[in-house]
Amino acid sequence: MDSPLANKVAIVTGTSSPTGIGRATALELARHGASLIITDLAVEGADGSVGTNAAPMRELASEIRALGGTCAVFDVDVTDRLAINRCVEQVVNEHGGVDILVNNAGSTVGALPFLDIESTHWDLSFRINLKGTAEFCQAVIPSMLSRGGGSIINNASTAGLGAEAGFGAYNATKHAVVGLTKTIAAEFGPNGITCNAVCPGYIATDMHTEATKRLATEAGVSVEEMARRRYEGVAARRAGTPAEVAALIAFLAGPGARYINGSAIPISGGTPVGL
Ligand code: NAP
Protein backbone atom coordinates (compact mmCIF):
# COMPACT_ATOMS: atom_id res chain seq x y z
CA MET A 1 0.00 0.00 0.00
CA ASP A 2 1.24 3.48 -0.88
CA SER A 3 1.58 5.36 2.44
CA PRO A 4 2.67 8.91 1.69
CA LEU A 5 1.94 9.96 5.28
CA ALA A 6 3.63 7.04 7.06
CA ASN A 7 5.25 8.13 10.36
CA LYS A 8 3.42 11.46 10.25
CA VAL A 9 1.45 12.60 13.28
CA ALA A 10 -1.79 14.35 12.32
CA ILE A 11 -4.29 16.28 14.44
CA VAL A 12 -7.78 16.82 13.03
CA THR A 13 -10.29 19.02 14.91
CA GLY A 14 -14.07 18.75 14.83
CA THR A 15 -14.33 15.05 13.98
CA SER A 16 -17.44 13.92 15.89
CA SER A 17 -20.09 14.62 13.29
CA PRO A 18 -21.01 11.30 11.59
CA THR A 19 -21.64 13.08 8.28
CA GLY A 20 -18.85 15.63 8.66
CA ILE A 21 -15.76 16.59 6.69
CA GLY A 22 -13.59 16.11 9.82
CA ARG A 23 -14.49 12.45 10.12
CA ALA A 24 -13.89 11.81 6.42
CA THR A 25 -10.56 13.62 6.67
CA ALA A 26 -9.35 11.61 9.66
CA LEU A 27 -10.17 8.37 7.82
CA GLU A 28 -8.45 9.54 4.63
CA LEU A 29 -5.28 10.59 6.48
CA ALA A 30 -5.26 7.20 8.25
CA ARG A 31 -5.59 5.43 4.86
CA HIS A 32 -2.51 7.43 3.79
CA GLY A 33 -0.61 6.06 6.78
CA ALA A 34 -0.75 8.92 9.31
CA SER A 35 -1.08 8.41 13.08
CA LEU A 36 -4.26 10.19 14.05
CA ILE A 37 -5.21 12.49 16.91
CA ILE A 38 -8.91 13.26 16.65
CA THR A 39 -10.48 16.05 18.68
CA ASP A 40 -13.89 17.54 19.34
CA LEU A 41 -15.75 19.19 22.17
CA ALA A 42 -18.11 17.38 24.55
CA VAL A 43 -16.24 14.07 24.44
CA GLU A 44 -16.31 14.31 28.23
CA GLY A 45 -19.00 15.89 30.38
CA ALA A 46 -18.16 18.88 32.57
CA ASP A 47 -17.80 16.56 35.60
CA GLY A 48 -15.62 14.04 33.76
CA SER A 49 -18.66 11.96 32.74
CA VAL A 50 -19.32 10.70 29.21
CA GLY A 51 -20.07 13.60 26.87
CA THR A 52 -22.51 13.77 23.97
CA ASN A 53 -19.74 13.34 21.37
CA ALA A 54 -18.05 10.40 23.14
CA ALA A 55 -19.81 7.65 21.16
CA PRO A 56 -19.15 8.95 17.63
CA MET A 57 -15.53 9.71 18.56
CA ARG A 58 -15.06 6.20 19.93
CA GLU A 59 -16.57 4.73 16.76
CA LEU A 60 -14.30 6.81 14.54
CA ALA A 61 -11.24 5.79 16.54
CA SER A 62 -12.23 2.13 16.13
CA GLU A 63 -12.66 2.56 12.37
CA ILE A 64 -9.21 4.14 12.13
CA ARG A 65 -7.65 1.31 14.14
CA ALA A 66 -9.45 -1.22 11.93
CA LEU A 67 -7.61 0.34 8.99
CA GLY A 68 -4.38 -0.54 10.78
CA GLY A 69 -3.69 2.95 12.07
CA THR A 70 -3.23 4.38 15.54
CA CYS A 71 -5.67 6.88 16.95
CA ALA A 72 -5.95 8.94 20.15
CA VAL A 73 -9.05 10.91 21.13
CA PHE A 74 -8.94 14.32 22.84
CA ASP A 75 -11.69 16.52 24.20
CA VAL A 76 -10.85 19.98 22.87
CA ASP A 77 -13.27 22.85 22.60
CA VAL A 78 -11.39 25.08 20.17
CA THR A 79 -12.60 28.18 22.02
CA ASP A 80 -10.55 27.02 25.02
CA ARG A 81 -6.90 27.91 24.51
CA LEU A 82 -5.78 25.97 27.59
CA ALA A 83 -7.44 22.80 26.27
CA ILE A 84 -5.70 23.28 22.90
CA ASN A 85 -2.32 23.72 24.60
CA ARG A 86 -2.88 20.72 26.89
CA CYS A 87 -3.74 18.53 23.89
CA VAL A 88 -0.73 19.58 21.82
CA GLU A 89 1.62 19.26 24.79
CA GLN A 90 0.46 15.71 25.42
CA VAL A 91 0.71 14.78 21.72
CA VAL A 92 4.26 16.16 21.55
CA ASN A 93 5.22 14.23 24.71
CA GLU A 94 3.69 10.95 23.57
CA HIS A 95 4.28 11.07 19.80
CA GLY A 96 7.39 13.22 19.58
CA GLY A 97 5.74 16.09 17.70
CA VAL A 98 3.09 17.16 15.22
CA ASP A 99 3.52 17.02 11.42
CA ILE A 100 0.01 17.78 10.18
CA LEU A 101 -2.77 19.94 11.59
CA VAL A 102 -6.22 20.09 10.01
CA ASN A 103 -8.31 22.87 11.53
CA ASN A 104 -11.71 21.57 10.60
CA ALA A 105 -13.91 22.58 13.56
CA GLY A 106 -16.29 25.31 12.51
CA SER A 107 -19.80 26.56 12.94
CA THR A 108 -22.36 28.62 11.08
CA VAL A 109 -23.41 30.28 14.32
CA GLY A 110 -24.77 33.68 13.34
CA ALA A 111 -26.12 32.40 10.03
CA LEU A 112 -28.93 34.92 10.12
CA PRO A 113 -30.21 37.87 8.12
CA PHE A 114 -27.52 40.52 8.66
CA LEU A 115 -29.63 42.85 10.81
CA ASP A 116 -30.53 39.99 13.18
CA ILE A 117 -26.94 39.04 14.04
CA GLU A 118 -26.32 39.79 17.71
CA SER A 119 -23.08 40.42 19.61
CA THR A 120 -23.10 36.88 20.96
CA HIS A 121 -23.26 35.49 17.39
CA TRP A 122 -20.34 37.65 16.26
CA ASP A 123 -18.32 36.64 19.32
CA LEU A 124 -18.93 32.90 19.08
CA SER A 125 -18.40 32.81 15.33
CA PHE A 126 -15.09 34.63 15.78
CA ARG A 127 -14.01 32.41 18.68
CA ILE A 128 -14.75 29.11 16.91
CA ASN A 129 -13.94 29.82 13.27
CA LEU A 130 -11.02 32.24 13.54
CA LYS A 131 -9.53 32.27 17.02
CA GLY A 132 -9.76 28.49 17.52
CA THR A 133 -8.01 27.95 14.20
CA ALA A 134 -5.35 30.57 14.95
CA GLU A 135 -4.63 29.27 18.46
CA PHE A 136 -4.34 25.66 17.30
CA CYS A 137 -1.80 26.87 14.71
CA GLN A 138 0.11 28.76 17.42
CA ALA A 139 0.16 25.64 19.58
CA VAL A 140 1.59 23.27 16.92
CA ILE A 141 4.01 25.55 15.07
CA PRO A 142 6.86 25.31 17.65
CA SER A 143 6.80 21.51 17.27
CA MET A 144 6.74 21.79 13.48
CA LEU A 145 9.67 24.20 13.62
CA SER A 146 11.70 21.76 15.69
CA ARG A 147 10.86 18.96 13.22
CA GLY A 148 11.95 21.11 10.25
CA GLY A 149 8.48 21.62 8.79
CA GLY A 150 4.87 20.57 8.70
CA SER A 151 1.56 21.00 6.93
CA ILE A 152 -1.39 23.02 8.20
CA ILE A 153 -4.70 22.86 6.37
CA ASN A 154 -7.46 25.20 7.47
CA ASN A 155 -11.03 24.42 6.47
CA ALA A 156 -12.30 27.81 5.31
CA SER A 157 -15.14 27.87 2.76
CA THR A 158 -16.20 29.48 -0.47
CA ALA A 159 -17.73 31.83 2.15
CA GLY A 160 -14.10 32.87 2.75
CA LEU A 161 -13.73 33.94 -0.88
CA GLY A 162 -17.16 35.29 -1.75
CA ALA A 163 -20.41 35.64 0.17
CA GLU A 164 -23.86 34.13 0.31
CA ALA A 165 -26.59 36.36 1.77
CA GLY A 166 -27.74 35.35 5.26
CA PHE A 167 -24.36 34.15 6.53
CA GLY A 168 -22.75 37.42 7.68
CA ALA A 169 -20.69 36.27 10.67
CA TYR A 170 -19.74 33.02 8.94
CA ASN A 171 -18.64 34.82 5.75
CA ALA A 172 -16.61 37.39 7.70
CA THR A 173 -14.82 34.87 9.91
CA LYS A 174 -14.08 32.51 7.02
CA HIS A 175 -12.52 35.43 5.08
CA ALA A 176 -10.40 35.97 8.19
CA VAL A 177 -9.34 32.29 8.12
CA VAL A 178 -8.03 32.82 4.58
CA GLY A 179 -6.06 35.87 5.80
CA LEU A 180 -4.69 33.88 8.73
CA THR A 181 -3.65 31.08 6.36
CA LYS A 182 -1.71 33.45 4.13
CA THR A 183 -0.04 35.05 7.17
CA ILE A 184 1.23 31.72 8.50
CA ALA A 185 2.48 30.73 5.03
CA ALA A 186 4.40 34.00 4.71
CA GLU A 187 5.84 33.85 8.21
CA PHE A 188 6.78 30.16 8.40
CA GLY A 189 7.23 29.15 4.75
CA PRO A 190 10.98 29.76 5.10
CA ASN A 191 10.97 27.14 7.89
CA GLY A 192 9.36 24.42 5.79
CA ILE A 193 5.81 24.88 7.04
CA THR A 194 3.03 25.02 4.49
CA CYS A 195 -0.34 26.49 5.42
CA ASN A 196 -3.21 26.29 2.97
CA ALA A 197 -6.97 26.72 3.15
CA VAL A 198 -9.52 24.48 1.52
CA CYS A 199 -12.64 26.34 0.49
CA PRO A 200 -15.52 23.88 0.13
CA GLY A 201 -18.74 25.00 -1.52
CA TYR A 202 -21.88 23.05 -0.73
CA ILE A 203 -20.88 19.77 0.91
CA ALA A 204 -23.57 17.28 1.97
CA THR A 205 -23.09 17.34 5.74
CA ASP A 206 -25.46 18.12 8.63
CA MET A 207 -24.21 21.72 8.63
CA HIS A 208 -25.18 22.13 4.98
CA THR A 209 -28.57 20.40 5.37
CA GLU A 210 -29.46 22.58 8.36
CA ALA A 211 -28.53 25.73 6.43
CA THR A 212 -30.71 24.67 3.48
CA LYS A 213 -33.63 23.99 5.84
CA ARG A 214 -33.27 27.40 7.47
CA LEU A 215 -33.14 29.24 4.14
CA ALA A 216 -36.18 27.25 2.93
CA THR A 217 -38.19 28.29 6.02
CA GLU A 218 -37.18 31.93 5.60
CA ALA A 219 -38.13 31.90 1.91
CA GLY A 220 -41.35 29.92 2.52
CA VAL A 221 -40.40 27.18 0.05
CA SER A 222 -39.77 23.46 0.41
CA VAL A 223 -36.32 22.17 1.35
CA GLU A 224 -36.12 20.45 -2.07
CA GLU A 225 -36.88 23.75 -3.84
CA MET A 226 -34.26 25.58 -1.76
CA ALA A 227 -31.68 22.87 -2.53
CA ARG A 228 -32.51 23.18 -6.25
CA ARG A 229 -32.06 26.99 -6.06
CA ARG A 230 -28.72 26.65 -4.21
CA TYR A 231 -27.37 24.06 -6.68
CA GLU A 232 -28.51 26.08 -9.70
CA GLY A 233 -25.33 28.14 -9.33
CA VAL A 234 -23.12 25.04 -9.09
CA ALA A 235 -21.78 23.79 -12.41
CA ALA A 236 -21.91 20.20 -11.09
CA ARG A 237 -25.58 20.75 -10.03
CA ARG A 238 -25.04 18.82 -6.80
CA ALA A 239 -23.46 19.10 -3.39
CA GLY A 240 -19.99 17.67 -2.95
CA THR A 241 -19.21 14.85 -0.55
CA PRO A 242 -17.04 14.99 2.60
CA ALA A 243 -14.79 12.36 0.97
CA GLU A 244 -14.10 14.68 -1.96
CA VAL A 245 -12.91 17.41 0.44
CA ALA A 246 -10.92 14.89 2.49
CA ALA A 247 -9.03 13.80 -0.65
CA LEU A 248 -7.91 17.39 -1.27
CA ILE A 249 -6.86 17.83 2.36
CA ALA A 250 -4.83 14.60 2.28
CA PHE A 251 -3.10 15.77 -0.90
CA LEU A 252 -2.23 19.13 0.72
CA ALA A 253 -0.79 17.26 3.72
CA GLY A 254 1.39 15.07 1.52
CA PRO A 255 4.74 15.25 -0.24
CA GLY A 256 3.20 16.24 -3.60
CA ALA A 257 2.03 19.59 -2.22
CA ARG A 258 5.24 20.99 -0.74
CA TYR A 259 5.31 23.91 -3.22
CA ILE A 260 1.69 24.89 -2.52
CA ASN A 261 1.66 27.47 0.27
CA GLY A 262 -0.68 30.28 1.30
CA SER A 263 -3.29 29.09 -1.18
CA ALA A 264 -7.05 29.14 -0.67
CA ILE A 265 -8.31 26.38 -2.91
CA PRO A 266 -12.00 26.21 -3.85
CA ILE A 267 -13.57 22.75 -3.98
CA SER A 268 -17.05 23.67 -5.02
CA GLY A 269 -18.19 21.81 -8.12
CA GLY A 270 -17.72 25.02 -10.06
CA THR A 271 -19.62 27.43 -7.79
CA PRO A 272 -18.83 31.03 -8.71
CA VAL A 273 -16.97 32.32 -5.66
CA GLY A 274 -16.24 35.94 -6.48
CA LEU A 275 -19.72 37.26 -5.64
P1 NAP B 1 -20.26 19.58 10.90
O1 NAP B 1 -20.71 18.25 10.45
O2 NAP B 1 -21.19 20.43 11.72
O3 NAP B 1 -18.84 19.47 11.63
C1 NAP B 1 -18.29 20.51 12.39
C2 NAP B 1 -17.60 19.87 13.55
O4 NAP B 1 -16.97 20.90 14.33
C3 NAP B 1 -18.57 19.13 14.46
O5 NAP B 1 -18.02 17.90 14.82
C4 NAP B 1 -18.70 20.09 15.63
O6 NAP B 1 -19.05 19.43 16.84
C5 NAP B 1 -17.30 20.65 15.68
N1 NAP B 1 -17.26 21.87 16.48
C6 NAP B 1 -18.14 22.90 16.50
N2 NAP B 1 -17.77 23.80 17.43
C7 NAP B 1 -16.64 23.33 18.00
C8 NAP B 1 -15.79 23.79 19.03
N3 NAP B 1 -16.04 24.94 19.67
N4 NAP B 1 -14.72 23.04 19.36
C9 NAP B 1 -14.45 21.87 18.74
N5 NAP B 1 -15.23 21.37 17.76
C10 NAP B 1 -16.30 22.10 17.39
O7 NAP B 1 -19.89 20.46 9.66
P2 NAP B 1 -19.05 20.18 8.33
O8 NAP B 1 -19.95 20.59 7.24
O9 NAP B 1 -18.39 18.88 8.31
O10 NAP B 1 -17.97 21.35 8.52
C11 NAP B 1 -16.60 21.12 8.77
C12 NAP B 1 -15.85 22.37 8.36
O11 NAP B 1 -16.06 22.60 6.97
C13 NAP B 1 -16.32 23.64 9.08
O12 NAP B 1 -15.21 24.45 9.40
C14 NAP B 1 -17.18 24.32 8.03
O13 NAP B 1 -17.25 25.71 8.22
C15 NAP B 1 -16.46 23.93 6.76
N6 NAP B 1 -17.31 24.00 5.56
C16 NAP B 1 -18.41 23.21 5.42
C17 NAP B 1 -19.18 23.32 4.26
C18 NAP B 1 -20.42 22.49 4.00
O14 NAP B 1 -21.15 22.77 3.04
N7 NAP B 1 -20.71 21.47 4.77
C19 NAP B 1 -18.81 24.22 3.27
C20 NAP B 1 -17.69 25.01 3.47
C21 NAP B 1 -16.93 24.89 4.61
P3 NAP B 1 -20.60 19.42 17.28
O15 NAP B 1 -21.29 18.59 16.23
O16 NAP B 1 -20.61 18.82 18.63
O17 NAP B 1 -21.04 20.85 17.26
Side-chain angles (χ1 to χ4, degrees):
M1 183 181 138
D2 186 19
S3 301
L5 302 180
N7 303 318
K8 300 290 183 194
V9 177
I11 299 179
V12 185
T13 71
T15 54
S16 74
S17 170
T19 62
I21 296 168
R23 181 178 189 283
T25 298
L27 286 166
E28 186 69 1
L29 295 179
R31 281 185 207 103
H32 283 66
S35 298
L36 263 295
I37 316 298
I38 57 173
T39 77
D40 211 309
L41 78 173
V43 177
E44 292 161 20
D47 52 0
S49 59
V50 173
T52 49
N53 284 332
M57 292 292 275
R58 220 177 12 244
E59 279 158 30
L60 176 56
S62 301
E63 267 191 70
I64 289 169
R65 291 181 195 124
L67 289 169
T70 66
C71 183
V73 178
F74 281 83
D75 185 318
V76 184
D77 180 337
V78 299
T79 66
D80 179 352
R81 186 170 192 155
L82 291 178
I84 292 173
N85 289 345
R86 265 197 309 272
C87 166
V88 173
E89 230 175 84
Q90 199 173 327
V91 172
V92 170
N93 285 340
E94 289 173 9
H95 297 261
V98 181
D99 303 292
I100 297 161
L101 169 67
V102 182
N103 280 305
N104 171 76
S107 175
T108 52
V109 62
L112 292 162
F114 188 72
L115 297 181
D116 295 339
I117 303 174
E118 296 179 9
S119 288
T120 50
H121 299 129
W122 287 113
D123 288 345
L124 195 55
S125 193
F126 172 82
R127 289 175 62 212
I128 297 173
N129 294 337
L130 177 65
K131 194 160 149 284
T133 299
E135 292 188 338
F136 235 118
C137 291
Q138 288 178 299
V140 302
I141 285 172
S143 165
M144 290 182 173
L145 289 175
S146 66
R147 275 157 105 83
S151 308
I152 299 173
I153 298 101
N154 295 326
N155 199 342
S157 171
T158 46
L161 302 169
E164 185 175 10
F167 292 85
Y170 186 70
N171 293 337
T173 52
K174 290 295 188 176
H175 273 72
V177 169
V178 171
L180 167 77
T181 301
K182 291 177 185 294
T183 302
I184 292 169
E187 207 157 321
F188 298 101
N191 306 97
I193 296 175
T194 61
C195 184
N196 293 292
V198 293
C199 298
Y202 300 141
I203 308 299
T205 68
D206 286 350
M207 180 186 283
H208 173 68
T209 309
E210 289 310 312
T212 304
K213 281 186 193 159
R214 183 183 61 77
L215 291 173
T217 306
E218 278 167 22
V221 299
S222 69
V223 175
E224 292 71 24
E225 171 57 15
M226 182 49 69
R228 192 194 60 74
R229 288 184 192 178
R230 294 186 95 193
Y231 301 156
E232 215 163 44
V234 180
R237 297 288 191 276
R238 67 168 176 90
T241 66
E244 286 170 322
V245 181
L248 173 60
I249 292 173
F251 172 71
L252 290 171
R258 296 310 301 159
Y259 201 59
I260 303 175
N261 205 0
S263 296
I265 303 172
I267 173 159
S268 63
T271 311
V273 292
L275 298 171

